[in-house]
Amino acid sequence: MSINLGPFALPLEPLLLFGSGLFGIIVAAILSRKQPGSVTDPLLMMLLFGLVIGRIVFVIKFADQYDSVWQMLDFRDRGVDWVSGMIAMASFLLWQIKRLPEQRIALFGGALSILLFFTVATVWLNSGRYEQSLPDMALIQLDGESVSLPDLAENQVTVVNLWASWCPPCQREMPAFAKAEQQYPDIRFVMLNQQESTETVKRFLADQNLTFEHVLLDKAGQVAERFAALGLPVTLVFDGQGKLLESHMGEVSAASLTATLTPLSP
């Protein structure tokens, strides 16, 4: 889900995309070493063009979930329509091959290498992730009673958000979760605080004027350890049988939540 670089926990998805691009550029450079000109710029522009188009389509699809233009431009939620992005990349690649016919083998080989690297790495990284399920651990409610996540889920699609009051991205995404809880009554939302006291959590929620049906305390950080969550916030989505469907490290937006949850809503 993430890697640590000193005090920073970085999500794997952007790093994987960067690594795929770098690998593809190296392959293209090897294939084009006997040809004039560089293939680096066309491949970088292909990736950028695909990401921009994918983001634009995503924003258009979920425009009603954004409160400002800044939120639409904010890539931190990683909201991208990948189908549109891939079509845009393929179209850009074909244009570059037509424009630079002498580099067509290098360009095609570099683009194919990017796709293969990203696909294989994604499958490998996710090979064990989706075998995980809701952890059957005793967690504390704000009233002091203990409860387990499977009992709380009651065979419903369940969203578990790992957060802390000192975490700025957690604070920013809280309203999106409060809105989603109202928007999807058939989905269970569990706001799982990490290693803070009951008083701290109650005070934070009161100060932010936030209300959630299920707020739990993980005072030992057991769930974060179970899912190798090295930073906050982390959002985990489980199906009705308790199997992990999605995981997202970092801030989510109302748009990215809607994109994830709408197909899962009954």
Side-chain angles (χ1 to χ4, degrees), residues 48-61:
L48 181 61
F49 184 69
L51 289 173
V52 169
I53 295 299
R55 178 63 176 184
I56 290 173
V57 172
F58 182 87
V59 167
I60 291 173
K61 289 173 66 175

Side-chain angles (χ1 to χ4, degrees), residues 45 140 180 229:
M45 289 300 298
I140 307 299

Side-chain angles (χ1 to χ4, degrees), residues 17-58:
L17 184 60
F18 175 81
S20 301
L22 181 61
F23 179 74
I25 287 172
I26 292 173
V27 171
I30 294 173
L31 292 175
S32 68
R33 63 186 182 277
K34 294 183 180 181
Q35 299 293 335
S38 171
V39 294
T40 299
D41 289 346
L43 286 176
L44 287 176
M45 289 300 298
M46 179 194 73
L47 289 172
L48 181 61
F49 184 69
L51 289 173
V52 169
I53 295 299
R55 178 63 176 184
I56 290 173
V57 172
F58 182 87

Side-chain angles (χ1 to χ4, degrees), residues 233-244:
V234 169
T235 302
L236 307 168
V237 181
F238 300 87
D239 66 14
Q241 288 70 51
K243 298 299 182 182
L244 183 65

Side-chain angles (χ1 to χ4, degrees), residues 17 20-21 23-24 46-47 86 89 108-123:
L17 184 60
S20 301
F23 179 74
M46 179 194 73
L47 289 172
M86 291 296 292
M89 285 188 225
F108 183 77
L112 184 61
S113 298
I114 291 173
L115 179 62
L116 289 176
F117 185 98
F118 188 83
T119 301
V120 171
T122 299
V123 170

Side-chain angles (χ1 to χ4, degrees), residues 153-175:
E154 295 181 341
N155 298 319
Q156 289 183 287
V157 173
T158 301
V159 178
V160 180
N161 179 251
L162 279 58
W163 67 281
S165 64
W166 49 261
C167 163
C170 304
Q171 298 168 13
R172 291 193 297 266
E173 71 178 5
M174 280 286 184

